Amino acid sequence: MFLRHPSPSSIGFKRTGRVSTLLAVILLAGVTVLPAAAQDTITTAKLGAVYAFSGPVAIYSTTIKNGLDMAVSELNAKGDLKIDLLLEDDRSTKDDAINVYQKFIQRDQALLIFGPLIGGQVFAAGPLAQRAKVPVMLTSVATPGVTGIGDYIFRTSVESATIIPATVKAAKEQLRTARVAQIYTNDDQFSVGEFKAYEAALKANGIQIAGAETVRTGDVDFSAQLTKIKAMNVDTLVVSSQGQEAVGIMTQARKLGLDKVRFIGGNAFNAAGVVKEAGAAMEGALSATPWFLAMEHPKNVEFVKKYREKYKSDPDWLAAQTYDALYLVKQALVAAKIGKSDSVAVARGKLRDSLAAIKTFDGVLGKIEFDDKRDPRVAGAVIKVEAGKQVLAK
Amino acid sequence: MLSQQIINALSQGAFYALFAAGLTLIFGVLDLLNMAHGAVFMWGAMLSWYLMSTLGLHFGFALLITIVFCGLMGLLLEHTAFRPLRGRSTGHLPPLVSSLALSIVLVHVAEKIFGTRVVRYPDNAVPFASYVEMGDAQVSMLHLVLMVVALVLMGALWYMVARTRLGRSIRALQENPKVARLMGVDVDRTIAWMFVIASVLAGIAGVFLGVAYNSASPYMGHWVDLKGFAVIILGGMGSIPGALLGGLLIAFAEIGTVVFLSSDYRDAAVFVVLMGMLLLKPSGLLGSSREVRA
């Protein structure tokens, strides 16, 4: 394959002559070009972006692509440093994410890679970039631990677990939550993470946890667990599951006579589709989100306005995180002062150091602070379902 | 709360039994596991959803069309995955693989037509939406109807096998296919009918499960297949009352685990019960032991 590294034997004894000639030519060329080019910085940066534009999770990539396109066209209109963004589809698979990474790293010589979409893909492809020392900027992955792959992995996507304490605080103040039960999907890493974050936040706020029940991904019948929860006499049920199970849990709870129980939940609650499908069952539910349409800081107001004009629809948190990521990378690119004569390896190294040096960033998400693991922290917003619509909970 | 849990278990058990009835019919007579049963079940749910939501059909019409469609699907299944292999003395594995292959095709076609996400039935299209209070239990009329439908259908199936002409052919086939053919039983026709009946049952189970839990997706057949196999092993392969008993037993084991132990062990408990049964009575609760004779 074209991507294979030459093995040591293939540049062995027979070819020594040719290789040394080649080296001499390169060296001579370098000597003549270097002194002049050292002051000049690059005017175009080639970056790669790989997302699931087809396949089972492709539904999330529409707003991401809009966020990419919008940010790139705005940034390139300014004219100082152009971004040449290569888009590739990984068909929602790990294998294709790996293939595209290899293409970006070796053939296209991209300085940085945006994406892929989901945690599993990052754990598969990310190590390739780390080994090749190519910076990666994730804009959608909320799975804990992805930046642990290595110091070349960055993200603007916020781990939902980090904003869960805000939900608990709001529930305590606004719903007078005192005694809760928890229900979560125990074969889904993401949901287990949310469950644990909730458990810790509830304990920290002195809220009594009457019990915890589990469901599995793909379950449709939750009646046994919910009947058990009904007997616990709680005022609030904490739901840590993905969208389809969350909808089932909330609607079936109402049917089993849990009429007065309030729901608070994680990331799944933020999805407009979940709010619509759960309908009246979800009225009054609280959840925290890293970004919300109605957030009132100026950058967000302007972003939402421009996005609506351009795409005739509302952006979501993925569009916001992706848009911020592009601006962040642009800022780092400019600060890195990459020389025209710098090799790709040097340029990638400079960009990484420059990204790592940015500790706070004012974006559409509000003020983003990056911790020492390169994970973003934001204040986020707590939202409430009111008359079937998501509003800021105040 | 216990009465509510018993109702929960009964309705879940009725559904498992209805799904497993078709599986056990095929397995009991032909000694073949039909791996595409779950795919037909999924088509029942997805097609009825499509008819009710996109075309706005009434539940009754949607059910009727789905029944016809799933019957035809059974015919297709038999003609493509099982009949071509029947003439060859191929053993158990090829039909298992060919039906598995067909089930994958059916899932992919469903993905293309209906999309990959979980779908919800339109509110106004769901029948029997009311609730009755029984003591401290809230019982959905829909779940009660599901229980009655499952019982009636399984009774009818049992009657068909035990009392009708087709049933006699089926029993003759089970005894000895070669002799049955010599005695004038149209073997191909009988087997085709069995697949039609089994697939109709799977389709009806799909419609009712989809509506009862207001959820359907192209992937819903996978977990049901596994439970279905557990049910027929537990109840005795080939026994229709065994499927009913097996379905109820598994549902009670699941819900009993949630109530008395922890929901963490729900699925594990089912398979512990299954393995216990295999150790104590390998032929299942109501299965007749088929000894291998020299």
Side-chain angles (χ1 to χ4, degrees):
Chain A
M1 247 172 73
F2 63 91
L3 298 168
R4 199 177 298 146
H5 289 287
S7 62
S9 62
S10 71
I11 38 174
F13 301 107
K14 283 182 212 161
R15 294 190 182 172
T16 316
R18 231 187 298 169
V19 171
S20 52
T21 322
L22 204 66
L23 273 176
V25 171
I26 292 169
L27 280 176
L28 277 173
V31 168
T32 47
V33 173
L34 263 177
Q39 294 102 17
D40 269 348
T41 53
I42 52 167
T43 51
T44 304
K46 195 191 272 185
L47 311 176
V50 52
Y51 288 98
F53 295 116
S54 64
V57 288
I59 184 168
Y60 295 108
S61 297
T62 320
T63 54
I64 289 183
K65 180 159 188 309
N66 291 348
L68 286 171
D69 289 345
M70 198 169 129
V72 169
S73 66
E74 284 173 23
L75 290 168
N76 283 351
K78 289 177 187 167
D80 48 348
L81 173 63
K82 292 258 188 295
I83 289 173
D84 176 13
L85 190 67
L86 310 166
L87 279 183
E88 291 283 349
D89 175 19
D90 60 33
R91 300 186 301 146
S92 304
T93 67
K94 286 179 192 172
D95 290 349
D96 275 16
I98 290 172
N99 291 337
V100 173
Y101 256 55
Q102 284 178 329
K103 175 180 170 291
F104 281 157
I105 293 168
Q106 307 201 13
R107 196 168 68 183
D108 298 330
Q109 308 261 296
L111 294 186
L112 175 142
I113 302 171
F114 291 99
L117 183 74
I118 46 182
Q121 293 178 308
V122 178
F123 283 115
L128 291 178
Q130 177 64 30
R131 263 203 305 279
K133 297 193 183 306
V134 179
V136 169
M137 178 59 77
L138 306 170
T139 69
S140 56
V141 179
T143 317
V146 282
T147 51
I149 292 169
D151 58 353
Y152 276 76
I153 315 292
F154 296 84
R155 61 171 159 180
T156 53
S157 42
V158 180
E159 261 178 52
S160 61
T162 64
I163 47 172
I164 274 170
T167 324
V168 175
K169 200 162 156 274
K172 195 178 175 186
E173 286 164 6
Q174 297 173 25
L175 307 180
R176 313 234 169 281
T177 295
R179 183 179 157 86
V180 304
Q182 290 187 274
I183 189 163
Y184 67 103
T185 309
N186 69 349
D187 61 348
D188 173 44
Q189 198 53 43
F190 186 79
S191 302
V192 173
E194 285 190 342
F195 161 75
K196 285 184 180 156
Y198 257 119
E199 196 181 26
L202 289 163
K203 279 180 183 158
N205 278 280
I207 294 170
Q208 195 187 359
I209 304 173
E213 292 295 317
T214 60
V215 304
R216 299 185 80 77
T217 304
D219 276 1
V220 292
D221 179 14
F222 310 101
S223 55
Q225 292 92 324
L226 290 168
T227 304
K228 211 173 157 191
I229 287 168
K230 193 179 174 187
M232 293 176 190
N233 280 319
V234 295
D235 52 52
T236 304
L237 178 59
V238 184
V239 183
S240 307
S241 289
Q242 301 280 4
Q244 47 176 301
E245 289 82 21
V247 170
I249 288 167
M250 289 188 280
T251 48
Q252 282 177 34
R254 297 300 185 222
K255 287 177 185 165
L256 284 163
L258 286 130
D259 306 327
K260 300 222 161 53
V261 168
R262 302 278 205 149
F263 300 115
I264 61 177
N267 196 40
F269 277 34
N270 299 336
V274 168
V275 177
K276 187 166 162 261
E277 284 179 15
M282 204 176 165
E283 190 64 22
L286 291 186
S287 58
T289 170
W291 175 89
F292 183 58
L293 196 68
M295 275 177 147
E296 287 155 349
H297 54 274
K299 279 219 167 146
N300 187 53
V301 174
E302 199 195 331
F303 166 72
V304 172
K305 186 170 156 270
K306 282 190 295 192
Y307 188 100
R308 280 178 172 160
E309 274 168 15
K310 191 161 178 168
Y311 300 109
K312 312 286 175 233
S313 63
D314 286 341
D316 62 5
W317 81 103
L318 293 170
Q321 287 174 174
T322 307
Y323 182 87
D324 272 358
L326 259 298
Y327 271 83
L328 183 70
V329 168
K330 170 77 186 277
Q331 185 186 323
L333 273 169
V334 172
K337 296 204 168 58
I338 298 166
K340 270 185 178 160
S341 57
D342 285 344
S343 68
V344 174
V346 171
R348 285 166 173 169
K350 279 187 177 175
L351 179 56
R352 190 224 83 92
D353 294 343
S354 169
L355 271 172
I358 300 175
K359 292 294 174 200
T360 63
F361 179 79
D362 268 315
V364 171
L365 295 176
K367 189 178 180 197
I368 309 174
E369 291 179 33
F370 293 93
D371 65 13
D372 48 5
K373 288 181 195 142
R374 299 168 305 286
D375 279 331
R377 293 275 181 276
V378 295
V382 177
I383 54 177
K384 181 162 86 174
V385 179
E386 213 171 76
K389 291 262 182 312
Q390 292 170 309
V391 296
L392 278 173
K394 284 177 190 165
Chain B
M1 289 303 144
L2 210 55
S3 57
Q4 179 80 57
Q5 295 289 26
I6 290 169
I7 300 277
N8 294 343
L10 283 174
S11 73
Q12 183 95 42
F15 156 69
Y16 287 160
L18 189 57
F19 177 81
L23 268 185
T24 208
L25 178 69
I26 307 277
F27 189 87
V29 179
L30 302 177
D31 253 355
L32 294 176
L33 266 186
N34 173 13
M35 300 296 286
H37 201 61
V40 177
F41 158 83
M42 174 273 290
W43 266 89
M46 293 304 284
L47 181 69
S48 68
W49 164 78
Y50 182 79
L51 295 171
M52 287 160 70
S53 68
T54 310
L55 304 186
L57 288 191
H58 183 268
F59 173 76
F61 286 121
L63 181 63
L64 218 64
I65 294 172
T66 308
I67 286 174
V68 173
F69 183 85
C70 287
L72 292 173
M73 205 168 232
L75 218 52
L76 171 86
L77 185 64
E78 200 271 331
H79 269 77
T80 54
F82 291 94
R83 183 169 295 192
L85 294 169
R86 203 179 303 140
R88 301 156 44 177
S89 52
T90 46
H92 292 281
L93 203 55
L96 194 81
V97 174
S98 64
S99 63
L100 186 62
L102 187 65
S103 92
I104 292 170
V105 172
L106 290 177
V107 170
H108 278 271
V109 174
E111 279 179 354
K112 277 280 162 262
I113 297 178
F114 306 118
T116 54
R117 42 188 295 278
V118 174
V119 296
R120 313 282 171 191
Y121 291 77
D123 281 340
N124 51 0
V126 177
F128 314 113
S130 59
Y131 283 80
V132 279
E133 303 256 343
M134 287 185 174
D136 59 354
Q138 290 239 22
V139 189
S140 145
M141 276 305 284
L142 192 58
H143 286 252
L144 284 180
V145 171
L146 170 64
M147 286 183 236
V148 173
V149 166
L151 266 181
V152 168
L153 284 177
M154 295 188 75
L157 184 64
W158 176 82
Y159 180 84
M160 190 276 292
V161 173
R163 294 277 186 273
T164 65
R165 206 183 142 77
L166 178 64
R168 203 161 61 215
S169 306
I170 291 175
R171 280 177 291 133
L173 210 60
Q174 182 177 21
E175 204 70 35
N176 188 327
K178 211 171 263 175
V179 175
R181 198 186 290 272
L182 289 173
M183 290 296 161
V185 172
D186 188 339
V187 172
D188 286 340
R189 212 180 131 93
T190 308
I191 293 177
W193 266 112
M194 285 167 52
F195 272 93
V196 169
I197 292 167
S199 298
V200 164
L201 289 174
I204 295 175
V207 175
F208 272 95
L209 184 94
V211 174
Y213 297 111
N214 196 8
S215 163
S217 90
Y219 316 108
M220 66 193 288
H222 298 322
W223 63 271
V224 174
D225 262 339
L226 208 60
K227 292 270 166 71
F229 295 145
V231 168
I232 65 170
I233 292 170
L234 205 59
M237 298 189 183
S239 162
I240 294 161
L244 184 60
L245 214 56
L248 287 173
L249 200 65
I250 284 196
F252 273 93
E254 280 184 349
I255 289 178
T257 311
V258 173
V259 175
F260 299 111
L261 209 58
S262 157
S263 39
D264 281 332
Y265 307 115
R266 191 173 52 135
D267 285 2
V270 173
F271 293 97
V272 167
V273 170
L274 183 68
M275 281 183 279
M277 174 59 74
L278 287 176
L279 285 175
L280 295 173
K281 193 170 184 291
S283 58
L285 284 172
L286 301 180
S288 51
S289 56
R290 287 192 205 178
E291 287 169 39
V292 180
R293 296 191 194 98

